[in-house]
Amino acid sequence: MGKYIIDDMTPEDAVQVLQWDYEPPYDFYNIRSKSEAMQEFLMGSYYSVYYEDRLYGIFCIGKSAQVPEGSIAGVYKESCVDIGLGMSPALTGQGKGMEFFQSILSHVQSRFSGECIRLSVAAFNKRAIKLYTNSGFVQQATFFSKDVEFIVMVHPKR
């Protein structure tokens, strides 16, 4: 695995991420409320992931990683570290996801040793679900946000 650098998200990184434009059906992940997203990116729970001086993607931890309707459905009751992530659309679908995701997972596991790790993923995102399953995550619950089904997946405590 190459050397990924993880650091707090900077305003410059946030501006770059706000410009990401995913192709359908992944356009679901395009950011619509840019000013709101910019504020959230810079509140301390978002991180940038670099590889060879290039912004590869981002991730967040905690409440920022939860889908609000999941809280209403009660899927986040168990104490876990929630993560959410996104890879630059220019890099998706090229077989780089596993190394990218493993760098994030290792970082989170080192910071939150002994905690289970949880994520929520849109059910149509088969690529991501396969990646998470291959990384040891198991499905725990499902819920709907608007008309989109989400799957909650958990990686057991280490």
Side-chain angles (χ1 to χ4, degrees), residues 67-82:
V67 179
E69 289 80 0
S71 292
I72 295 166
V75 300
Y76 302 127
K77 287 181 183 176
E78 181 184 354
S79 177
C80 289
V81 177
D82 287 285

Side-chain angles (χ1 to χ4, degrees), residues 144-157:
F144 281 86
S145 175
K146 300 177 180 62
D147 292 333
V148 178
E149 182 180 20
F150 280 84
I151 297 171
V152 177
M153 302 182 79
V154 175
H155 194 279
K157 297 177 186 178

Side-chain angles (χ1 to χ4, degrees), residues 22-132:
Y22 295 95
E23 296 291 323
Y26 305 103
D27 59 340
F28 168 81
Y29 296 108
N30 289 344
I31 298 169
R32 286 156 183 75
S33 177
K34 307 253 189 242
S35 62
E36 189 177 301
M38 182 69 154
Q39 288 177 348
E40 186 173 350
F41 284 161
L42 300 176
M43 65 183 214
S45 62
Y46 277 81
Y47 301 87
S48 300
V49 181
Y50 276 85
Y51 182 81
E52 296 179 350
D53 296 327
R54 180 176 184 183
L55 181 62
Y56 246 60
I58 64 169
F59 72 96
C60 61
I61 56 174
K63 195 101 173 135
S64 296
Q66 296 178 352
V67 179
E69 289 80 0
S71 292
I72 295 166
V75 300
Y76 302 127
K77 287 181 183 176
E78 181 184 354
S79 177
C80 289
V81 177
D82 287 285
I83 62 170
L85 60 134
M87 180 183 251
S88 167
L91 300 168
T92 60
Q94 299 177 20
K96 300 175 183 191
M98 183 59 83
E99 281 190 4
F100 169 73
F101 183 61
Q102 287 301 316
S103 70
I104 294 169
L105 189 57
S106 293
H107 179 82
V108 173
Q109 287 172 329
S110 71
R111 281 192 59 198
F112 299 95
S113 181
E115 297 287 328
C116 70
I117 299 172
R118 178 174 50 213
L119 54 80
S120 301
V121 58
F124 72 80
N125 194 344
K126 303 298 184 202
R127 283 191 315 209
I129 294 166
K130 181 178 179 184
L131 173 69
Y132 303 147

